[in-house]
Amino acid sequence: VANAYASENAKCSRDCEAPTIGVTDSGQRVIDNGLAINGRTFEVDNQIQTNPTMTFTTGNTAKVKLMIYENDGVDELRHASIAITDYQDDKNQNDKVLISFDQTFDGMQSFEVMDAGGYVKDVNVKATQLDQWRTEVVYSFKPVKPFATSALITEMWDEERSSRSNVFLNAVKATGKEIADVTPVKSSNVPSPLFQVSDGISPHQVECKKGLELVIRTTGVPACVYPFTADKLRAWGLVE
């Protein structure tokens, strides 16, 4: 089976090997069990794969762990995020929750949460450098609202702006009663960017919820992100 990443980076003239939680562009395995959900590990073989569904329970802590390999060394890793999302294809996805970990060139670490629907609370991200090449990133959170079976999407990039994403279909769901003491992030009733595009609106004319900024990915897909995230994406050349 041809490696999905090989053609993606075939025309690159610099070091385009993006961080990975499984195999490199050439198909070489450099990480075993690169994804773990609540302690159950999964081998990452393909850019898009279907995993057995893991069930979260509202009020209980859930954990997602990524084991990330960066060929230029752990200090070159800049971003690693997970999204719980309704996924049809790359142009049709609606994120329920997005948790992003970022690391600057001088080692400062931070994380950011997008959760307009109020699905989670008590979010934390911990990154640990295991050796010269591998970083373990653990995302912990408590689901407070049930949600249907959803995809989990990971995205990573490095100092050289080389990025890689993986889509795990049917990966997670949450059951249990809604915990009502959580106040969702306030947002106006604005449809998702991809819904607006499917309704005939030009990507550059998409409306974002208050506090978010419109960016256009290099693939032409619009997204609404926090201004801090927009600045970083532009700096890495990942958006127009």
Side-chain angles (χ1 to χ4, degrees):
V1 178
N3 189 302
Y5 306 117
S7 59
E8 182 178 302
N9 294 330
K11 297 181 180 180
C12 194
S13 59
R14 51 185 170 79
D15 174 19
C16 292
E17 188 68 64
T20 182
I21 54 176
V23 297
T24 63
D25 293 348
S26 65
Q28 177 188 1
R29 178 163 299 284
V30 289
I31 290 289
D32 292 315
N33 300 317
L35 171 69
I37 303 175
N38 277 358
R40 180 172 178 178
T41 58
F42 299 94
E43 203 76 276
V44 180
D45 297 309
N46 303 299
Q47 188 176 15
I48 300 177
Q49 65 186 65
T50 301
N51 281 9
T53 304
M54 299 295 292
T55 302
F56 302 144
T57 303
T58 56
N60 292 343
T61 299
K63 290 187 177 182
V64 176
K65 181 177 73 174
L66 304 182
M67 190 73 71
I68 304 171
Y69 174 90
E70 166 51 41
N71 71 311
D72 285 329
V74 291
D75 292 336
E76 299 298 296
L77 179 66
R78 292 289 171 264
H79 175 92
S81 64
I82 62 169
I84 297 172
T85 183
D86 296 322
Y87 179 88
Q88 297 181 32
D89 54 46
D90 287 344
K91 294 186 177 181
N92 293 279
Q93 66 182 77
N94 181 35
D95 293 345
K96 296 183 176 77
V97 179
L98 173 65
I99 307 174
S100 301
F101 163 78
D102 293 284
Q103 178 175 257
T104 63
F105 72 93
D106 56 358
M108 292 185 63
Q109 298 179 348
S110 62
F111 71 90
E112 182 178 15
V113 182
M114 291 182 64
D115 178 25
Y119 285 99
V120 299
K121 71 173 185 178
D122 298 345
V123 179
N124 192 39
V125 181
K126 182 179 180 181
T128 305
Q129 296 179 347
L130 301 179
D131 54 32
Q132 184 178 356
W133 314 110
R134 297 180 303 151
T135 301
E136 177 187 88
V137 184
V138 179
Y139 308 79
S140 61
F141 52 90
K142 286 184 180 178
V144 293
K145 288 172 64 174
F147 55 82
T149 301
S150 304
L152 182 74
I153 297 180
T154 64
E155 186 170 20
M156 301 157 289
W157 62 75
D158 61 17
E159 176 70 21
E160 294 296 324
R161 307 179 187 178
S162 300
S163 64
R164 189 189 310 273
S165 61
N166 290 87
V167 180
F168 303 95
L169 302 174
N170 304 327
V172 294
K173 67 178 181 180
T175 61
K177 295 182 179 180
E178 180 174 347
I179 299 174
D181 63 348
V182 173
T183 303
V185 177
K186 293 182 179 179
S187 61
S188 57
N189 187 23
V190 178
S192 70
L194 295 176
F195 183 89
Q196 294 180 58
V197 170
S198 68
D199 207 30
I201 297 175
S202 165
H204 290 85
Q205 300 300 317
V206 163
E207 179 185 358
C208 290
K209 296 175 181 178
K210 185 177 180 180
L212 301 182
E213 180 178 336
L214 175 66
V215 296
I216 307 296
R217 297 176 186 265
T218 53
T219 57
V221 178
C224 292
V225 301
Y226 288 109
F228 176 72
T229 300
D231 289 342
K232 288 187 294 185
L233 293 174
R234 276 190 288 268
W236 301 124
L238 297 175
V239 296
E240 295 179 1

PDB file of all heavy atoms in Angstrom, residues 37-38 53-63 84 119-121 141-147 172-179:
ATOM      1  N   ILE A  37      -5.682   6.176  24.172  1.00  0.00           N
ATOM      2  CA  ILE A  37      -6.912   6.801  24.661  1.00  0.00           C
ATOM      3  C   ILE A  37      -7.329   6.062  25.925  1.00  0.00           C
ATOM      4  O   ILE A  37      -7.606   4.857  25.886  1.00  0.00           O
ATOM      5  CB  ILE A  37      -8.035   6.743  23.615  1.00  0.00           C
ATOM      6  CG1 ILE A  37      -7.589   7.409  22.303  1.00  0.00           C
ATOM      7  CG2 ILE A  37      -9.301   7.416  24.147  1.00  0.00           C
ATOM      8  CD1 ILE A  37      -8.605   7.291  21.180  1.00  0.00           C
ATOM      9  N   ASN A  38      -7.317   6.778  27.037  1.00  0.00           N
ATOM     10  CA  ASN A  38      -7.645   6.174  28.337  1.00  0.00           C
ATOM     11  C   ASN A  38      -6.863   4.887  28.581  1.00  0.00           C
ATOM     12  O   ASN A  38      -7.404   3.883  29.063  1.00  0.00           O
ATOM     13  CB  ASN A  38      -9.150   5.926  28.450  1.00  0.00           C
ATOM     14  CG  ASN A  38      -9.903   7.175  28.874  1.00  0.00           C
ATOM     15  OD1 ASN A  38      -9.310   8.226  29.125  1.00  0.00           O
ATOM     16  ND2 ASN A  38     -11.224   7.086  28.947  1.00  0.00           N
ATOM     17  N   THR A  53     -14.144   2.213  18.976  1.00  0.00           N
ATOM     18  CA  THR A  53     -14.626   3.398  19.687  1.00  0.00           C
ATOM     19  C   THR A  53     -14.350   3.289  21.183  1.00  0.00           C
ATOM     20  O   THR A  53     -14.701   2.291  21.821  1.00  0.00           O
ATOM     21  CB  THR A  53     -16.136   3.583  19.466  1.00  0.00           C
ATOM     22  OG1 THR A  53     -16.393   3.653  18.057  1.00  0.00           O
ATOM     23  CG2 THR A  53     -16.628   4.862  20.125  1.00  0.00           C
ATOM     24  N   MET A  54     -13.716   4.323  21.731  1.00  0.00           N
ATOM     25  CA  MET A  54     -13.476   4.406  23.161  1.00  0.00           C
ATOM     26  C   MET A  54     -14.535   5.317  23.776  1.00  0.00           C
ATOM     27  O   MET A  54     -14.825   6.396  23.247  1.00  0.00           O
ATOM     28  CB  MET A  54     -12.084   4.970  23.439  1.00  0.00           C
ATOM     29  CG  MET A  54     -10.950   4.120  22.880  1.00  0.00           C
ATOM     30  SD  MET A  54     -10.854   2.503  23.685  1.00  0.00           S
ATOM     31  CE  MET A  54     -10.329   3.000  25.338  1.00  0.00           C
ATOM     32  N   THR A  55     -15.107   4.872  24.895  1.00  0.00           N
ATOM     33  CA  THR A  55     -16.219   5.603  25.513  1.00  0.00           C
ATOM     34  C   THR A  55     -15.757   6.372  26.743  1.00  0.00           C
ATOM     35  O   THR A  55     -15.182   5.800  27.670  1.00  0.00           O
ATOM     36  CB  THR A  55     -17.345   4.638  25.916  1.00  0.00           C
ATOM     37  OG1 THR A  55     -17.797   3.930  24.745  1.00  0.00           O
ATOM     38  CG2 THR A  55     -18.514   5.406  26.517  1.00  0.00           C
ATOM     39  N   PHE A  56     -15.988   7.687  26.721  1.00  0.00           N
ATOM     40  CA  PHE A  56     -15.768   8.533  27.893  1.00  0.00           C
ATOM     41  C   PHE A  56     -17.074   8.607  28.674  1.00  0.00           C
ATOM     42  O   PHE A  56     -18.160   8.452  28.126  1.00  0.00           O
ATOM     43  CB  PHE A  56     -15.366   9.949  27.487  1.00  0.00           C
ATOM     44  CG  PHE A  56     -14.131  10.036  26.640  1.00  0.00           C
ATOM     45  CD1 PHE A  56     -14.035  10.989  25.626  1.00  0.00           C
ATOM     46  CD2 PHE A  56     -13.054   9.189  26.850  1.00  0.00           C
ATOM     47  CE1 PHE A  56     -12.901  11.084  24.844  1.00  0.00           C
ATOM     48  CE2 PHE A  56     -11.908   9.282  26.074  1.00  0.00           C
ATOM     49  CZ  PHE A  56     -11.838  10.239  25.064  1.00  0.00           C
ATOM     50  N   THR A  57     -16.959   8.887  29.975  1.00  0.00           N
ATOM     51  CA  THR A  57     -18.130   9.079  30.829  1.00  0.00           C
ATOM     52  C   THR A  57     -18.094  10.483  31.394  1.00  0.00           C
ATOM     53  O   THR A  57     -17.052  10.929  31.893  1.00  0.00           O
ATOM     54  CB  THR A  57     -18.158   8.050  31.974  1.00  0.00           C
ATOM     55  OG1 THR A  57     -18.122   6.725  31.428  1.00  0.00           O
ATOM     56  CG2 THR A  57     -19.418   8.211  32.814  1.00  0.00           C
ATOM     57  N   THR A  58     -19.212  11.176  31.312  1.00  0.00           N
ATOM     58  CA  THR A  58     -19.235  12.553  31.814  1.00  0.00           C
ATOM     59  C   THR A  58     -18.848  12.579  33.289  1.00  0.00           C
ATOM     60  O   THR A  58     -19.251  11.727  34.079  1.00  0.00           O
ATOM     61  CB  THR A  58     -20.627  13.178  31.632  1.00  0.00           C
ATOM     62  OG1 THR A  58     -21.605  12.348  32.269  1.00  0.00           O
ATOM     63  CG2 THR A  58     -20.982  13.329  30.164  1.00  0.00           C
ATOM     64  N   GLY A  59     -18.026  13.564  33.634  1.00  0.00           N
ATOM     65  CA  GLY A  59     -17.576  13.725  35.014  1.00  0.00           C
ATOM     66  C   GLY A  59     -16.303  12.992  35.343  1.00  0.00           C
ATOM     67  O   GLY A  59     -15.679  13.270  36.376  1.00  0.00           O
ATOM     68  N   ASN A  60     -15.876  12.066  34.479  1.00  0.00           N
ATOM     69  CA  ASN A  60     -14.643  11.318  34.699  1.00  0.00           C
ATOM     70  C   ASN A  60     -13.529  11.849  33.806  1.00  0.00           C
ATOM     71  O   ASN A  60     -13.776  12.248  32.664  1.00  0.00           O
ATOM     72  CB  ASN A  60     -14.840   9.828  34.409  1.00  0.00           C
ATOM     73  CG  ASN A  60     -15.763   9.158  35.408  1.00  0.00           C
ATOM     74  OD1 ASN A  60     -16.013   9.698  36.485  1.00  0.00           O
ATOM     75  ND2 ASN A  60     -16.284   7.994  35.059  1.00  0.00           N
ATOM     76  N   THR A  61     -12.316  11.838  34.305  1.00  0.00           N
ATOM     77  CA  THR A  61     -11.186  12.349  33.526  1.00  0.00           C
ATOM     78  C   THR A  61     -10.869  11.425  32.362  1.00  0.00           C
ATOM     79  O   THR A  61     -10.758  10.208  32.535  1.00  0.00           O
ATOM     80  CB  THR A  61      -9.941  12.497  34.413  1.00  0.00           C
ATOM     81  OG1 THR A  61     -10.215  13.438  35.459  1.00  0.00           O
ATOM     82  CG2 THR A  61      -8.749  12.999  33.601  1.00  0.00           C
ATOM     83  N   ALA A  62     -10.744  12.017  31.185  1.00  0.00           N
ATOM     84  CA  ALA A  62     -10.333  11.292  29.983  1.00  0.00           C
ATOM     85  C   ALA A  62      -8.928  11.732  29.612  1.00  0.00           C
ATOM     86  O   ALA A  62      -8.544  12.884  29.840  1.00  0.00           O
ATOM     87  CB  ALA A  62     -11.297  11.586  28.841  1.00  0.00           C
ATOM     88  N   LYS A  63      -8.157  10.811  29.032  1.00  0.00           N
ATOM     89  CA  LYS A  63      -6.793  11.140  28.627  1.00  0.00           C
ATOM     90  C   LYS A  63      -6.511  10.634  27.224  1.00  0.00           C
ATOM     91  O   LYS A  63      -6.853   9.493  26.884  1.00  0.00           O
ATOM     92  CB  LYS A  63      -5.774  10.542  29.601  1.00  0.00           C
ATOM     93  CG  LYS A  63      -5.753  11.211  30.973  1.00  0.00           C
ATOM     94  CD  LYS A  63      -4.614  10.691  31.833  1.00  0.00           C
ATOM     95  CE  LYS A  63      -4.566  11.424  33.170  1.00  0.00           C
ATOM     96  NZ  LYS A  63      -3.438  10.967  34.023  1.00  0.00           N
ATOM     97  N   ILE A  84     -11.778  16.657  18.646  1.00  0.00           N
ATOM     98  CA  ILE A  84     -12.917  15.737  18.618  1.00  0.00           C
ATOM     99  C   ILE A  84     -13.910  16.366  17.650  1.00  0.00           C
ATOM    100  O   ILE A  84     -14.373  17.490  17.860  1.00  0.00           O
ATOM    101  CB  ILE A  84     -13.531  15.565  20.013  1.00  0.00           C
ATOM    102  CG1 ILE A  84     -12.504  14.944  20.967  1.00  0.00           C
ATOM    103  CG2 ILE A  84     -14.778  14.689  19.946  1.00  0.00           C
ATOM    104  CD1 ILE A  84     -12.950  14.917  22.424  1.00  0.00           C
ATOM    105  N   TYR A 119     -18.349  21.233  25.985  1.00  0.00           N
ATOM    106  CA  TYR A 119     -18.322  19.782  26.124  1.00  0.00           C
ATOM    107  C   TYR A 119     -17.373  19.295  27.218  1.00  0.00           C
ATOM    108  O   TYR A 119     -17.538  18.182  27.727  1.00  0.00           O
ATOM    109  CB  TYR A 119     -17.911  19.119  24.798  1.00  0.00           C
ATOM    110  CG  TYR A 119     -19.002  19.113  23.765  1.00  0.00           C
ATOM    111  CD1 TYR A 119     -19.029  20.063  22.747  1.00  0.00           C
ATOM    112  CD2 TYR A 119     -20.011  18.151  23.794  1.00  0.00           C
ATOM    113  CE1 TYR A 119     -20.024  20.062  21.786  1.00  0.00           C
ATOM    114  CE2 TYR A 119     -21.023  18.137  22.835  1.00  0.00           C
ATOM    115  CZ  TYR A 119     -21.025  19.104  21.837  1.00  0.00           C
ATOM    116  OH  TYR A 119     -22.023  19.104  20.894  1.00  0.00           O
ATOM    117  N   VAL A 120     -16.354  20.089  27.560  1.00  0.00           N
ATOM    118  CA  VAL A 120     -15.341  19.608  28.496  1.00  0.00           C
ATOM    119  C   VAL A 120     -14.997  20.684  29.521  1.00  0.00           C
ATOM    120  O   VAL A 120     -15.277  21.867  29.335  1.00  0.00           O
ATOM    121  CB  VAL A 120     -14.047  19.177  27.760  1.00  0.00           C
ATOM    122  CG1 VAL A 120     -14.316  18.042  26.792  1.00  0.00           C
ATOM    123  CG2 VAL A 120     -13.403  20.364  27.039  1.00  0.00           C
ATOM    124  N   LYS A 121     -14.358  20.257  30.610  1.00  0.00           N
ATOM    125  CA  LYS A 121     -13.800  21.178  31.594  1.00  0.00           C
ATOM    126  C   LYS A 121     -12.507  20.574  32.119  1.00  0.00           C
ATOM    127  O   LYS A 121     -12.133  19.449  31.771  1.00  0.00           O
ATOM    128  CB  LYS A 121     -14.785  21.435  32.745  1.00  0.00           C
ATOM    129  CG  LYS A 121     -14.993  20.255  33.683  1.00  0.00           C
ATOM    130  CD  LYS A 121     -15.839  20.665  34.881  1.00  0.00           C
ATOM    131  CE  LYS A 121     -15.967  19.524  35.890  1.00  0.00           C
ATOM    132  NZ  LYS A 121     -16.748  19.919  37.079  1.00  0.00           N
ATOM    133  N   PHE A 141      -8.883  15.870  30.260  1.00  0.00           N
ATOM    134  CA  PHE A 141     -10.076  16.708  30.337  1.00  0.00           C
ATOM    135  C   PHE A 141     -11.228  15.878  30.900  1.00  0.00           C
ATOM    136  O   PHE A 141     -11.176  14.644  30.895  1.00  0.00           O
ATOM    137  CB  PHE A 141     -10.452  17.250  28.943  1.00  0.00           C
ATOM    138  CG  PHE A 141     -10.562  16.184  27.880  1.00  0.00           C
ATOM    139  CD1 PHE A 141     -11.769  15.544  27.622  1.00  0.00           C
ATOM    140  CD2 PHE A 141      -9.446  15.819  27.136  1.00  0.00           C
ATOM    141  CE1 PHE A 141     -11.865  14.557  26.641  1.00  0.00           C
ATOM    142  CE2 PHE A 141      -9.522  14.830  26.158  1.00  0.00           C
ATOM    143  CZ  PHE A 141     -10.738  14.203  25.909  1.00  0.00           C
ATOM    144  N   LYS A 142     -12.250  16.569  31.379  1.00  0.00           N
ATOM    145  CA  LYS A 142     -13.458  15.908  31.846  1.00  0.00           C
ATOM    146  C   LYS A 142     -14.621  16.246  30.917  1.00  0.00           C
ATOM    147  O   LYS A 142     -15.018  17.417  30.834  1.00  0.00           O
ATOM    148  CB  LYS A 142     -13.798  16.345  33.270  1.00  0.00           C
ATOM    149  CG  LYS A 142     -12.903  15.759  34.343  1.00  0.00           C
ATOM    150  CD  LYS A 142     -13.371  16.161  35.732  1.00  0.00           C
ATOM    151  CE  LYS A 142     -12.467  15.579  36.808  1.00  0.00           C
ATOM    152  NZ  LYS A 142     -12.897  16.008  38.169  1.00  0.00           N
ATOM    153  N   PRO A 143     -15.171  15.267  30.215  1.00  0.00           N
ATOM    154  CA  PRO A 143     -16.382  15.533  29.441  1.00  0.00           C
ATOM    155  C   PRO A 143     -17.533  15.884  30.389  1.00  0.00           C
ATOM    156  O   PRO A 143     -17.678  15.272  31.459  1.00  0.00           O
ATOM    157  CB  PRO A 143     -16.653  14.201  28.734  1.00  0.00           C
ATOM    158  CG  PRO A 143     -15.350  13.471  28.756  1.00  0.00           C
ATOM    159  CD  PRO A 143     -14.689  13.883  30.032  1.00  0.00           C
ATOM    160  N   VAL A 144     -18.321  16.889  30.019  1.00  0.00           N
ATOM    161  CA  VAL A 144     -19.459  17.289  30.848  1.00  0.00           C
ATOM    162  C   VAL A 144     -20.772  17.222  30.076  1.00  0.00           C
ATOM    163  O   VAL A 144     -21.835  17.469  30.642  1.00  0.00           O
ATOM    164  CB  VAL A 144     -19.259  18.706  31.428  1.00  0.00           C
ATOM    165  CG1 VAL A 144     -18.107  18.714  32.418  1.00  0.00           C
ATOM    166  CG2 VAL A 144     -19.025  19.724  30.320  1.00  0.00           C
ATOM    167  N   LYS A 145     -20.688  16.878  28.800  1.00  0.00           N
ATOM    168  CA  LYS A 145     -21.878  16.673  27.978  1.00  0.00           C
ATOM    169  C   LYS A 145     -21.665  15.418  27.138  1.00  0.00           C
ATOM    170  O   LYS A 145     -20.568  15.215  26.610  1.00  0.00           O
ATOM    171  CB  LYS A 145     -22.121  17.868  27.042  1.00  0.00           C
ATOM    172  CG  LYS A 145     -22.604  19.117  27.721  1.00  0.00           C
ATOM    173  CD  LYS A 145     -22.623  20.293  26.749  1.00  0.00           C
ATOM    174  CE  LYS A 145     -23.588  20.097  25.613  1.00  0.00           C
ATOM    175  NZ  LYS A 145     -23.687  21.321  24.763  1.00  0.00           N
ATOM    176  N   PRO A 146     -22.666  14.573  27.015  1.00  0.00           N
ATOM    177  CA  PRO A 146     -22.501  13.413  26.134  1.00  0.00           C
ATOM    178  C   PRO A 146     -22.409  13.855  24.676  1.00  0.00           C
ATOM    179  O   PRO A 146     -22.962  14.887  24.291  1.00  0.00           O
ATOM    180  CB  PRO A 146     -23.772  12.598  26.384  1.00  0.00           C
ATOM    181  CG  PRO A 146     -24.781  13.589  26.886  1.00  0.00           C
ATOM    182  CD  PRO A 146     -23.999  14.625  27.644  1.00  0.00           C
ATOM    183  N   PHE A 147     -21.691  13.089  23.870  1.00  0.00           N
ATOM    184  CA  PHE A 147     -21.666  13.345  22.442  1.00  0.00           C
ATOM    185  C   PHE A 147     -21.570  12.022  21.691  1.00  0.00           C
ATOM    186  O   PHE A 147     -21.084  11.020  22.214  1.00  0.00           O
ATOM    187  CB  PHE A 147     -20.523  14.290  22.043  1.00  0.00           C
ATOM    188  CG  PHE A 147     -19.141  13.866  22.460  1.00  0.00           C
ATOM    189  CD1 PHE A 147     -18.411  12.939  21.720  1.00  0.00           C
ATOM    190  CD2 PHE A 147     -18.550  14.415  23.593  1.00  0.00           C
ATOM    191  CE1 PHE A 147     -17.136  12.562  22.099  1.00  0.00           C
ATOM    192  CE2 PHE A 147     -17.264  14.048  23.979  1.00  0.00           C
ATOM    193  CZ  PHE A 147     -16.559  13.123  23.228  1.00  0.00           C
ATOM    194  N   VAL A 172     -14.016   8.113  19.402  1.00  0.00           N
ATOM    195  CA  VAL A 172     -14.466   8.394  20.769  1.00  0.00           C
ATOM    196  C   VAL A 172     -15.947   8.780  20.794  1.00  0.00           C
ATOM    197  O   VAL A 172     -16.504   9.253  19.806  1.00  0.00           O
ATOM    198  CB  VAL A 172     -13.642   9.547  21.406  1.00  0.00           C
ATOM    199  CG1 VAL A 172     -12.201   9.142  21.600  1.00  0.00           C
ATOM    200  CG2 VAL A 172     -13.742  10.819  20.567  1.00  0.00           C
ATOM    201  N   LYS A 173     -16.542   8.577  21.971  1.00  0.00           N
ATOM    202  CA  LYS A 173     -17.873   9.101  22.256  1.00  0.00           C
ATOM    203  C   LYS A 173     -17.959   9.327  23.755  1.00  0.00           C
ATOM    204  O   LYS A 173     -17.124   8.823  24.522  1.00  0.00           O
ATOM    205  CB  LYS A 173     -18.972   8.144  21.795  1.00  0.00           C
ATOM    206  CG  LYS A 173     -19.045   6.829  22.566  1.00  0.00           C
ATOM    207  CD  LYS A 173     -20.207   5.969  22.059  1.00  0.00           C
ATOM    208  CE  LYS A 173     -20.302   4.654  22.832  1.00  0.00           C
ATOM    209  NZ  LYS A 173     -21.436   3.818  22.349  1.00  0.00           N
ATOM    210  N   ALA A 174     -18.958  10.090  24.183  1.00  0.00           N
ATOM    211  CA  ALA A 174     -19.150  10.337  25.613  1.00  0.00           C
ATOM    212  C   ALA A 174     -20.583  10.016  25.987  1.00  0.00           C
ATOM    213  O   ALA A 174     -21.527  10.393  25.280  1.00  0.00           O
ATOM    214  CB  ALA A 174     -18.834  11.792  25.953  1.00  0.00           C
ATOM    215  N   THR A 175     -20.727   9.291  27.098  1.00  0.00           N
ATOM    216  CA  THR A 175     -22.049   8.935  27.599  1.00  0.00           C
ATOM    217  C   THR A 175     -22.218   9.470  29.019  1.00  0.00           C
ATOM    218  O   THR A 175     -21.248   9.878  29.662  1.00  0.00           O
ATOM    219  CB  THR A 175     -22.242   7.405  27.602  1.00  0.00           C
ATOM    220  OG1 THR A 175     -21.254   6.804  28.460  1.00  0.00           O
ATOM    221  CG2 THR A 175     -22.099   6.834  26.207  1.00  0.00           C
ATOM    222  N   GLY A 176     -23.449   9.445  29.513  1.00  0.00           N
ATOM    223  CA  GLY A 176     -23.727   9.931  30.856  1.00  0.00           C
ATOM    224  C   GLY A 176     -24.597  11.169  30.824  1.00  0.00           C
ATOM    225  O   GLY A 176     -24.956  11.686  29.764  1.00  0.00           O
ATOM    226  N   LYS A 177     -24.928  11.658  31.994  1.00  0.00           N
ATOM    227  CA  LYS A 177     -25.778  12.834  32.108  1.00  0.00           C
ATOM    228  C   LYS A 177     -24.949  14.104  31.942  1.00  0.00           C
ATOM    229  O   LYS A 177     -23.786  14.160  32.320  1.00  0.00           O
ATOM    230  CB  LYS A 177     -26.479  12.858  33.467  1.00  0.00           C
ATOM    231  CG  LYS A 177     -27.462  11.712  33.676  1.00  0.00           C
ATOM    232  CD  LYS A 177     -28.149  11.821  35.027  1.00  0.00           C
ATOM    233  CE  LYS A 177     -29.159  10.693  35.231  1.00  0.00           C
ATOM    234  NZ  LYS A 177     -29.836  10.804  36.555  1.00  0.00           N
ATOM    235  N   GLU A 178     -25.585  15.122  31.388  1.00  0.00           N
ATOM    236  CA  GLU A 178     -24.913  16.409  31.259  1.00  0.00           C
ATOM    237  C   GLU A 178     -24.710  17.023  32.637  1.00  0.00           C
ATOM    238  O   GLU A 178     -25.590  16.984  33.500  1.00  0.00           O
ATOM    239  CB  GLU A 178     -25.744  17.358  30.396  1.00  0.00           C
ATOM    240  CG  GLU A 178     -25.113  18.727  30.218  1.00  0.00           C
ATOM    241  CD  GLU A 178     -25.882  19.603  29.246  1.00  0.00           C
ATOM    242  OE1 GLU A 178     -26.755  19.074  28.527  1.00  0.00           O
ATOM    243  OE2 GLU A 178     -25.603  20.813  29.209  1.00  0.00           O
ATOM    244  N   ILE A 179     -23.534  17.557  32.855  1.00  0.00           N
ATOM    245  CA  ILE A 179     -23.215  18.224  34.116  1.00  0.00           C
ATOM    246  C   ILE A 179     -23.472  19.704  33.927  1.00  0.00           C
ATOM    247  O   ILE A 179     -22.773  20.394  33.182  1.00  0.00           O
ATOM    248  CB  ILE A 179     -21.752  17.958  34.518  1.00  0.00           C
ATOM    249  CG1 ILE A 179     -21.543  16.450  34.710  1.00  0.00           C
ATOM    250  CG2 ILE A 179     -21.388  18.714  35.785  1.00  0.00           C
ATOM    251  CD1 ILE A 179     -20.113  16.054  34.977  1.00  0.00           C
TER     252      ILE A 179
END
